[in-house]
Amino acid sequence: MNHSIHSADRAAHLKIVVVALIAGIAVAGFGIAARTSADYNQTAQSTHVIKAGKPVAVTSAGQSEIR
């Protein structure tokens, strides 16, 4: 049993590298699988454009005033 990374032998280092590699692949796989449901084939007609409305100023009386 190695309590320090400095005193660990070659086999312990190899186990750490293998576990880190498997964890990295699992995280990357989960990330790729999570975003496959998005629609990447958007055209100019299918994009949703949000336009800004009229500017509004809030007065000290708490009422909205449209400029």
Side-chain angles (χ1 to χ4, degrees):
M1 181 176 293
N2 298 310
H3 296 287
S4 174
I5 193 72
H6 296 292
S7 66
D9 57 351
R10 182 181 286 263
H13 285 287
L14 184 61
K15 288 178 189 177
I16 292 169
V17 169
V18 168
V19 168
L21 183 64
I22 291 172
I25 291 172
V27 168
F30 178 75
I32 291 171
R35 67 182 197 132
T36 56
S37 62
D39 183 22
Y40 294 112
N41 297 327
Q42 291 184 348
T43 61
Q45 291 82 19
S46 67
T47 58
H48 301 286
V49 177
I50 300 173
K51 294 183 180 180
K54 296 180 181 179
V56 176
V58 178
T59 63
S60 61
Q63 297 176 356
S64 297
E65 178 182 317
I66 299 176
R67 293 185 183 189

